[in-house]
Structures are given as C-alpha cells and as structure tokens.
DNA sequence: CTTACGGCCTGGGTGC
DNA sequence: TGCACCCAGGCCGTAA
C-alpha cells in the first residue's frame, strides 16, 4: 500500500533513471485506470523527462516544454493500492499485470504494474495538473508544527478521518495514521477538537518522526509494494500496531485491537490510546426528559 | 458548510 | 478442487 514514504522511495529511485531520458514509445495493456489512454500514446513519444517529484501520494513525472507549447505537461501517477512503477532493461520479461510500458532512449523501460488497477494515470497539462494536485493538503513531512495543528484545531471529525483526508494532509494512509496515533497515544476515534495542545504537539512529532523513519527504511512492504528497482521496504518490521491485532503492545503489553474508524480497519492499543468518552447513555437519558432541543438561532442570509 | 456512511472498482487470500 | 466472501484505498453520492 503505497503511502507517502513508499511514494517518496519510488520517486527517489526514478530520479536516478529518468531525468534527461526521452520517451521513445508507449505500449498499453488494460487502460481503465488511465484518464485518456490515446493521449498517452500520441503525445508522449518524443518527450524528454526533466524531473520526478512527489506531490502527496502522486508521482509527478515532469516533461520538457515542447517548442510552441505554452506550458510543460507532466505525467501524474497515483499508485492506488497495488501500483508499481519500475525501471529496468526493456528486454526483460514483464511482470504479470503490467499495463503500461514507456520505452526510453537508453534501452531502459519504465513500466507500470498494478494488480487491482485502483491506481490512476493522467497526462496533464498545466490546468489539469492544478485540478488534480491543487486540492491536496499540507505535506506532513514538510509542515511546521503551527500549520499542522492549525489544520486540526476545532475540527469536529475524528482525528483518524482527518489524517486520512488528502485535502487536509496529503500522503498519509492507513498504515502511517495508525502508527502515528499509537506513538502519540491518541485513540483514532477522538474528535480532533477535543485534543489538548500537548496532544496535538505529540501527534505532530509522531507523524513527522514516523514518516521520516519510514522513508529512511524505504517504506513498508506489506503486500505488493516495491520501489523503482523492484526492492521491498523494511519499515513493516517497525510496525507497532498496524495489522498486529491480538498481539502485545510494544509499550504496555496490552493486546492490540482492531476497530473500524472512518470506514477503515484501525489498529490501536486500548491501554495506551484510551477511547473517548462514549455519549450514548447520556443522550438516551436526555431524550427521555427533553423532547425537543431549543431552536437554534438562524442567521439571516 | 461539515461530517458520516455506504457503494463501487478489482482480484488475491482465506476458509469451508 | 472449487467457490463465495472479505478486504484493501480513493472517490463519489447521499443524508443529516
């Protein structure tokens, strides 16, 4: 499951192979994850790659501005759950589920492999690029503490939902939100607005430290993830809660539990990350006594 | 507007 | 051996 550290690792690998290369030809297999497959085939050959960047969980392959073009285009790739971008010699056999082949001018080939095809690929003009990447939130690795906390303060949603929301922060997925919340000792169901300043600060530190450490270890390979050279990451060895249901908490020894939060499996330590106060009972009592809540002030338009 | 939730896409793994 | 089912992440529509 490529999240920020995995995508960052892929990008760093691609950066060693792609800049300066020219795309010679494009060959496509299944194309239902590509916005406009015909455009890839017709417009990409002849383009030179100038750089590779990460934006949230997107890989951005920068293309040289062509003569006469107002602005340079780029290839946006989202790896979804099982997407892989790898480079290697063009004459090596392709892995199963490889659906895009970009032949390069040095005999190498950039390939996109995706078992589930939950990924996305789009050749984007300046405007389209802005439409896709523009809504993405703060990069949690680059964010300062002030900006990070500002994004959460006062929000009434569960903290886990906000960490996963790519418009709030871009790059976090299920693994790193759970790991970060465990390290910060915050239950995934906590309402963001209920977090004390010390908890927000702890969360900021936890997120940054964990993502940086995961990048250092080249990401987590829990299922299919491999980097641009086809190698697995090592951060899965450091997971403290993710998919450790029923095993002992590294900090206190209590058994890790799994609950659904924000529609996602969420792993946490019930002792280190105390659940927020339930309100079911209170609400039921109130309903018996007070039939109707007082009408709220309605602001005139 | 904000938030919650269910459905959808696909196919590997699991359990019967 | 086969088969139904679950689940993954992102996105979208709907409802409160």
């Amino acid at each position: 499951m490529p999240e920020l550290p995995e995508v960052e690792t892929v990008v760093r690998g691609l950066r060693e192979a792609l800049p300066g290369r020219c795309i010679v030809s494009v060959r496509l297999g299944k194309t239902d994850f590509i916005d406009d497959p015909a455009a890839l085939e017709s417009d990409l050959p002849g383009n030179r790659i100038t750089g590779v960047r990460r934006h949230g969980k997107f890989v951005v392959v920068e293309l040289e501005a062509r003569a006469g073009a107002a602005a340079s285009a780029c290839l946006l790739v989202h790896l979804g759950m099982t997407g892989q971008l790898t480079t290697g010699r063009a004459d090596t056999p392709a892995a199963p589920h490889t659906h895009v082949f970009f032949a390069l001018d040095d005999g190498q080939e950039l390939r996109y492999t995706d078992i589930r095809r939950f990924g996305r690929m789009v050749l984007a003009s300046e405007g389209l690029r802005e439409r896709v990447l523009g809504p993405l939130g703060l990069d949690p690795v680059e964010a300062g503490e002030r900006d990070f906390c500002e994004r959460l303060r006062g929000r009434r949603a569960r903290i886990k939902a906000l960490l996963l929301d790519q418009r709030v922060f871009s790059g976090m997925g299920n693994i790193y939100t759970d790991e970060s919340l465990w390290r910060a000792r915050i239950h995934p169901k906590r309402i963001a607005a209920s977090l004390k300043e010390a908890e927000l600060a702890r969360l900021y530190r936890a997120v940054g430290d964990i993502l940086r450490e995961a990048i250092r270890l080249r990401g987590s390979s829990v299922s299919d993830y491999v980097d641009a050279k086809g190698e697995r990451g090592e951060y899965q060895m450091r997971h403290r809660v993710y998919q450790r249901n029923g095993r002992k908490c590294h900090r206190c020894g209590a058994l890790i539990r799994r609950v659904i939060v924000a529609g996602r499996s969420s792993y946490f330590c019930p002792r280190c990350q105390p659940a927020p106060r339930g309100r079911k009972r209170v609400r039921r009592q109130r309903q018996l006594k007070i039939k109707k809540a007082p009408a709220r002030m309605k602001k005139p338009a």
Side-chain angles (χ1 to χ4, degrees), chain A residues 146-253:
Chain A
R146 189 177 298 263
D147 289 337
F148 180 93
C149 297
E150 199 54 49
R151 292 262 164 158
L152 299 173
R153 211 169 276 133
R155 297 289 300 262
R156 300 292 308 166
R158 291 163 174 169
I159 185 61
K160 167 136 180 175
L162 292 173
L163 291 177
L164 285 174
D165 189 334
Q166 300 300 299
R167 295 164 301 185
V168 180
F169 301 111
S170 57
M172 306 268 286
N174 213 27
I175 297 174
Y176 297 103
T177 54
D178 280 5
E179 293 297 320
S180 299
L181 288 169
W182 177 82
R183 187 174 292 198
R185 305 195 301 281
I186 296 170
H187 192 283
K189 280 191 178 176
R190 290 280 301 279
I191 301 297
S194 80
L195 296 175
K196 310 284 178 232
E197 284 304 310
E199 291 178 315
L200 283 175
R202 232 153 60 207
L203 183 57
Y204 168 72
R205 284 217 60 112
V207 166
D209 288 352
I210 281 177
L211 290 176
R212 274 184 291 273
E213 176 74 350
I215 291 169
R216 197 177 69 74
L217 292 179
R218 312 177 57 77
S220 304
S221 288
V222 293
S223 54
D224 309 87
Y225 165 73
V226 292
D227 68 14
K229 295 196 190 74
E231 288 168 14
R232 291 164 58 81
E234 291 179 357
Y235 193 75
Q236 67 277 10
M237 314 296 290
R238 297 282 229 277
H239 290 178
R240 292 298 181 248
V241 283
Y242 185 72
Q243 289 188 342
R244 294 191 70 251
N245 196 19
R247 299 179 60 194
K248 283 184 178 173
C249 171
H250 278 253
R251 206 162 32 209
C252 76

Side-chain angles (χ1 to χ4, degrees), chain A residues 7 19 35 65 112 236 251 265 269:
Chain A
V7 178
D35 274 29
Y112 182 72
Q236 67 277 10
R251 206 162 32 209
S265 278
C269 169

